[in-house]
Amino acid sequence: MKTILITGASSGIGQALALHYAQSGAILFLTGRDAGRLADVADQCRIRGARAVHAATVNVTDVTAMTTQCTQWDDMSPIDIVIANAGISGGAAGMDTETTDQARQIFAVNLGGVLNTLAPVLPRLQARQSGHVVVISSLAAHMPLPGAPAYSASKAAVGFYGQALAGMLSGSGVRVSVVYPGFVVSRMTAVNNFAMPFLMPADRAAQIIVKGIAKGQTRIYFPWAMAGAVRLASILPARFLAFMTRLLPRKAALSRDDIQADVN
């Protein structure tokens, strides 16, 4: 039986992971920004067989709140797997550009949220010489999207941080997995007004992630066809890559309220 902490568990990949692990009788610690949706997910997890479910509406950008909550939970039941999943997207369409305010919000959640989730838990995993850290990056980390510069950059930072952390913790007993998903059905992708190749149901994405975690994979890419194309494109000459990315559709610009509502 595992004890698992998942941030951004009120929808998308986070919700799908919570539901998957619930079936194995895990103890679940779940965070999210929407109290109603998070409560629904917690109830579904209990129905599916989770041994215990504890949910808290915590903002991952709040250092003090995250430290307090994660510490209390680890005291309650030592965490085996921590999944820093919470994330938001932004973007710009047409002649609009991503605002500085948007960029700061995106970095605060996508990168700051990962740091705030791991900071209270990681030293405890190291002391126990066991556990698994999982961070959610994106295939956008390998191909900067001109329509979502802050999102691409934040996910690249998360990816490199996770990979470096894996090297640092090698031999410590603590494993690290970095997840690079393509398009997954979620509240985040629901606002996209363009075709999304290889769009994957969240439950299928969760199955791939769980399998990769169980195998101890440092990097988990999916779907393979899109991952291969993106990674190949990332090594192309800069001019050609810039030309290609200019042809990609752009995510519509989001207001501050829209961005907040887009939290996983």
Side-chain angles (χ1 to χ4, degrees), residues 60 84 109-120 161:
V60 293
V109 174
N110 293 2
L111 180 57
V114 169
L115 300 177
N116 296 340
T117 302
L118 300 187
Y161 176 74

Side-chain angles (χ1 to χ4, degrees), residues 22-196:
Q23 297 177 83
S24 65
I27 296 173
L28 298 175
F29 297 137
L30 310 177
T31 77
R33 288 290 305 278
D34 187 298
R37 286 191 285 114
L38 186 62
D40 287 342
V41 173
D43 287 341
Q44 291 177 49
C45 288
R46 294 183 185 101
I47 292 171
R48 292 197 178 206
R51 178 173 178 178
V53 183
H54 304 273
T57 51
V58 183
N59 187 333
V60 293
T61 66
D62 188 328
V63 178
T64 301
M66 286 297 292
T67 299
T68 299
Q69 188 63 75
C70 292
T71 300
Q72 288 178 350
W73 277 342
D74 192 70
D75 287 341
M76 184 185 304
S77 180
I79 294 167
D80 297 298
I81 303 174
V82 52
I83 304 177
N85 165 73
I88 59 175
S89 63
M95 298 301 293
D96 295 328
T97 58
E98 207 171 53
T99 67
T100 302
D101 184 54
Q102 283 181 313
R104 284 177 174 151
Q105 290 179 72
I106 291 167
F107 271 97
V109 174
N110 293 2
L111 180 57
V114 169
L115 300 177
N116 296 340
T117 302
L118 300 187
V121 180
L122 185 54
R124 291 171 172 237
L125 299 182
Q126 290 175 282
R128 294 194 289 265
Q129 297 184 334
S130 66
H132 205 129
V133 170
V134 183
V135 298
I136 309 297
S137 180
S138 167
L139 288 180
H142 292 287
M143 176 178 272
L145 302 175
Y151 177 80
S152 300
S154 67
K155 289 301 187 180
V158 168
F160 274 95
Y161 176 74
Q163 289 184 45
L165 196 62
M168 186 185 79
L169 296 175
S170 178
S172 71
V174 180
R175 292 184 172 183
V176 180
S177 294
V178 184
V179 182
Y180 294 92
F183 293 112
V184 176
V185 176
S186 67
R187 286 167 57 83
M188 191 178 293
T189 56
V191 301
N192 292 344
N193 57 357
F194 51 83
M196 291 172 280

